Amino acid sequence: MRFRIHLVTALLSSAAVIATGQSATAQSQSTSLLRSSAAAPATSGGGAMRAAELPAPGSMSPMSSSAPSDGYYPGLSSDGGYSACGCNENYCDQGCCDAQCGGTYCGPSGLGLCNNGGQFFFTADYLNVRASFSEATAKVIETLNGTEGTDQFVPLDFNPESSYRFGGGYRLCCCGEEIRFLYTRMTSQADDTAVNGDLVPIEASPPPGGQTLIHADVDAQTYDVDWAKTIPLGGCCCSDSCGDACGSGCADGCGSGCCRPCCPAWDITWTGGVRFADVGWSRSFIANDADAFTVTDARSTMSFQGAGLRAGLEGRRYFCKDGWLSLYGKGNISLLYGTVDIKTIRGTFDPTTGPTAFNSQTFTNRQIIPVTDIEAGLTAQVTCHSAITAGYLMSAWHDLGARDQDQLNTLLPISYDDANILGFDGFFARVEVAF
């Protein structure tokens, strides 16, 4: 028992000595940081020490509520004092992109200040896209050769058309957040001609010596409002300069510190928002006789107006000095609730008596339309406040295809069911300007 008491007493004494030593060491180090020069010798009057000079801005107390006016903030060192490494008023210097400066925050780490501000930006895109349907039959070419016969289904072949989109918003440089608006309009058309012997939907086959003129067009308009958050996955916040395009230094040339990360680095951006859509398509089959008189005029149209939520994810990989070149891919999915209206009308005419019949069908339904958007491209930061992007996009609108399954008088009584998708795909080029 006596041995145990001595052992406990020895351990407590050792712990007290170690704690006292560490406290003294820390006090000594802190005192040495606060002094700007060595202590002066004792005065002749009584050996009193001369008062120490005030600490320099680089050694301010962590509890100080004021900041230097020159935009320089000290970094917090591991021992509780401030290191010589510092942050400017726009972003951390390259050497301070770590815990010494509070990570991506600028200013005293203990205060958690964010001095980067933000910037407005504007984007304009040129699109060269074409529409496509899961199934949209333009005509069926029927070939008879004795006892053998073949039917060849020819779909509507849409041409790439010039379209556009533009948007803008506000970006918080410090936190990697932004709110943005984007308007997109995509159009496409298709034309074909059927001759006598071909089978045409909506019973608009050409008469002997005549032909059927086939035309289709698609028009899709979307309005997107998103909130986005970017999460860096590597690299530092900036280097000694922001690259050749950004001038010298993050504080001078990068506009409120919105520098691109230096290579190598990845980041991901997730978005959430709302979409409003107005989508429509039409098909017409006009059969003329040998004298160019219209004997059958058949048309089918679809329109959809709806709104709903959307979410997306984007990944980006940076290359070259300060990441001025980057490759990205992103995907979005939307669920839109709205009304689908489909109307089909067919009129027949006689060259001598005029109109003989008009028949129509209507389909109206309120439903949820899923939309999938995928995009990939390459971005170059041309200047600190401008960038260009080029890439490829694809978009799929489910349940907005050609729903009608025409019972054509083909050799085999078969109709084909499809995924009923209206799609778009094509190239794009974008210019972005920030200010």
Side-chain angles (χ1 to χ4, degrees):
M1 176 65 71
R2 186 174 301 175
F3 172 75
R4 294 180 181 177
I5 295 175
H6 288 314
L7 178 61
V8 171
T9 303
L11 292 175
L12 292 175
S13 301
S14 301
V17 171
I18 293 173
T20 303
Q22 289 180 341
S23 175
T25 302
Q27 183 178 3
S28 175
Q29 292 176 346
S30 176
T31 303
S32 64
L33 286 171
L34 291 175
R35 296 182 183 274
S36 59
S37 60
T43 61
S44 59
M49 303 293 292
R50 191 189 335 177
E53 298 180 2
L54 292 176
S59 58
M60 291 175 59
S61 170
M63 301 303 294
S64 175
S65 59
S66 60
S69 59
D70 60 358
Y72 175 85
Y73 298 105
L76 183 63
S77 63
S78 59
D79 63 356
Y82 283 97
S83 67
C85 173
C87 298
N88 59 44
E89 61 183 354
N90 284 315
Y91 228 121
C92 297
D93 294 335
Q94 183 183 18
C96 298
C97 293
D98 52 28
Q100 289 181 331
C101 280
T104 57
Y105 290 106
C106 292
S109 302
L111 301 180
L113 299 180
C114 178
N115 298 300
N116 293 73
Q119 59 183 195
F120 292 95
F121 62 93
F122 175 81
T123 61
D125 293 47
Y126 169 76
L127 311 178
N128 186 254
V129 297
R130 69 180 184 93
S132 61
F133 289 83
S134 298
E135 180 185 343
T137 301
K139 61 184 178 181
V140 178
I141 301 176
E142 191 171 70
T143 304
L144 300 176
N145 184 15
T147 59
E148 296 182 2
T150 59
D151 287 331
Q152 178 187 354
F153 282 77
V154 179
L156 289 169
D157 186 12
F158 286 85
N159 301 316
E161 301 280 345
S162 295
S163 301
Y164 61 90
R165 64 184 174 186
F166 62 85
Y170 186 77
R171 179 180 296 127
L172 295 174
C173 303
C174 179
C175 306
E177 301 177 36
E178 65 183 40
I179 183 170
R180 58 196 182 197
F181 166 79
L182 187 66
Y183 169 76
T184 305
R185 184 171 188 180
M186 294 186 287
T187 60
S188 189
Q189 300 183 53
D191 293 282
D192 208 334
T193 302
V195 297
N196 182 245
D198 296 339
L199 304 178
V200 179
I202 324 181
E203 297 183 5
S205 297
Q211 62 180 5
T212 298
L213 304 179
I214 305 169
H215 175 77
D217 62 75
V218 180
D219 189 353
Q221 300 181 71
T222 57
Y223 307 80
D224 300 322
V225 179
D226 292 326
W227 177 82
K229 171 68 175 180
T230 300
I231 303 174
L233 298 180
C236 59
C237 50
C238 61
S239 63
D240 292 335
S241 68
C242 292
D244 297 335
C246 288
S248 58
C250 289
D252 314 38
C254 271
S256 302
C258 289
C259 304
R260 296 293 186 263
C262 54
C263 180
W266 290 79
D267 64 35
I268 58 173
T269 302
W270 60 271
T271 61
V274 295
R275 165 172 284 187
F276 304 87
D278 184 0
V279 183
W281 54 254
S282 66
R283 296 178 299 159
S284 64
F285 304 89
I286 302 176
N288 299 325
D289 61 14
D291 297 325
F293 180 83
T294 299
V295 295
T296 305
D297 189 335
R299 302 174 186 270
S300 180
T301 61
M302 188 284 301
S303 64
F304 169 76
Q305 291 84 32
L309 300 178
R310 79 189 219 112
L313 186 67
E314 173 185 322
R316 186 178 291 269
R317 172 68 165 94
Y318 295 89
F319 301 93
C320 304
K321 178 178 173 61
D322 299 303
W324 70 269
L325 189 67
S326 60
L327 182 68
Y328 77 95
K330 69 176 182 179
N332 292 278
I333 186 169
S334 307
L335 293 177
L336 310 181
Y337 180 74
T339 302
V340 177
D341 289 308
I342 300 177
K343 185 175 183 179
T344 303
I345 185 171
R346 177 177 178 271
T348 57
F349 306 87
D350 186 273
T352 58
T353 62
T356 59
F358 284 98
N359 299 304
S360 65
Q361 281 185 337
T362 59
F363 171 88
T364 302
N365 189 32
R366 299 183 67 84
Q367 62 187 89
I368 295 176
I369 301 297
V371 185
T372 305
D373 300 301
I374 297 178
E375 180 180 306
L378 189 68
T379 300
Q381 192 73 25
V382 180
T383 68
C384 185
H385 298 281
S386 63
I388 58 174
T389 301
Y392 194 82
L393 63 86
M394 292 182 290
S395 179
W397 296 72
H398 303 257
D399 296 327
L400 292 187
R403 299 190 180 199
D404 50 287
Q405 298 294 317
D406 297 286
Q407 299 296 326
L408 301 176
N409 189 24
T410 55
L411 298 174
L412 296 175
I414 298 176
S415 61
Y416 295 91
D417 193 11
D418 62 79
N420 195 25
I421 292 177
L422 165 62
F424 292 93
D425 70 286
F427 297 92
F428 70 91
R430 175 187 308 136
V431 175
E432 177 179 332
V433 178
F435 54 93

